[in-house]
Amino acid sequence: MKQSVKLIVGNWKMNGAAGGLEQARLLAEALKDQPTANQVVLCPPATLLERIGSAVAGSPIQIGAQDCRAEPSGAFTGCVSAELASEAGAAFVILGHSERRAGFSESDELVAAKARAALAAGLTPIICVGETLEQRDAGQAADIVERQVRASVPDQARTAAFAVSYEPVWAIGTGRTPTLDQIAEIHAVVRRVLAERFGSAGETAPILYGGSVNPKNAADILHVEGVGGALVGGASLKADDFLAIIRAA
Ligand code: PEP
């Protein structure tokens, strides 16, 4: 299914200290001058949520967090709950990013618990899935992604807004991307599982692609059958590059 309004999400990761506010302001001004039909979300580090939110106020840009804790509050030093992220201005939250799955040993079950917390706090979770290079080379990409979608997207998603982002681990920050056919194939797997589990909600939830999207490859990727948007890391840090991706959709 072709989705005409694309969801374009910038994941700043642990960046944005120097010049982040200015880049957000530039992006907001450009989108105010020349609006887009697409939905645009910036996910800065938690410490910048409020300031970036203020910097883009009055523009169509929405704000998202990069993670949240599954618990609503408590003795979890260094963590941010979904409620705290929401209070700081987030409307979205990225969950299960491969950097968290690998670096913080996050399981599908934990990602699902975080997604439940996000939904309870009124956030739209963007749940990331994707195979490693070893898994792709072993011909397991579709099976791995299917398993992750089944276990990481909670049942509660049936009645709430959510998105899934297909992010092959080997394509993140590497400059390498799958072929357009490979992207289409995995998106079809994600759509099949979502539709099977959630009916019409699963047929319409956006399925993004993430992994080395840049101004040059964005148009091709965003026009692949089934691709409902992009999760963009490196290229979201510069307003000009991110804007070019938004305009390519
Ligand atoms: C990401 O962090 O989700 C990502 C896709 O990064 P990059 O665009 O830099 O590959």
Side-chain angles (χ1 to χ4, degrees), residues 11 13 97 99 167 171-174 210-213 231-235:
N11 174 14
K13 311 194 187 195
H97 191 283
E99 287 157 15
E167 302 212 303
I172 296 178
T174 60
S212 297
V213 176
L231 181 50
V232 184

Side-chain angles (χ1 to χ4, degrees), residues 1 6 129-131 136 141-142 145 164-168 170-171 175-192 207-214 217-231:
M1 185 200 308
K6 308 280 185 187
V129 296
E131 81 284 358
R136 174 155 286 277
V145 168
V164 171
S165 188
Y166 168 52
E167 302 212 303
W170 50 275
R176 293 183 61 190
T177 54
T179 65
L180 301 181
D181 284 347
Q182 287 170 330
I183 293 174
E185 182 205 345
I186 301 295
H187 272 68
V189 170
V190 177
R191 179 63 72 206
R192 173 174 56 73
I207 305 172
L208 317 185
Y209 167 79
S212 297
V213 176
N214 61 45
N217 63 21
D220 284 343
I221 291 173
L222 286 161
H223 289 96
V224 169
E225 178 75 22
V227 173
L231 181 50

Side-chain angles (χ1 to χ4, degrees), residues 9 41-43 49 63-69 80-82 85-86 90-97 100 111 114-119 121-128 162-163 231:
V9 182
V41 180
L42 277 181
C43 300
L49 283 170
I63 300 300
Q66 298 175 13
D67 180 43
C68 70
R69 185 89 194 177
V80 172
S81 69
S86 167
F92 291 77
V93 59
I94 298 168
L95 295 174
H97 191 283
R100 294 207 60 90
V111 175
K114 290 182 173 198
R116 280 192 289 276
L119 292 170
L123 300 181
T124 298
I126 300 165
I127 299 167
C128 301
F162 73 99
L231 181 50

Side-chain angles (χ1 to χ4, degrees), residues 11-22:
N11 174 14
W12 281 10
K13 311 194 187 195
M14 205 170 68
N15 298 296
L21 279 172
E22 182 55 14

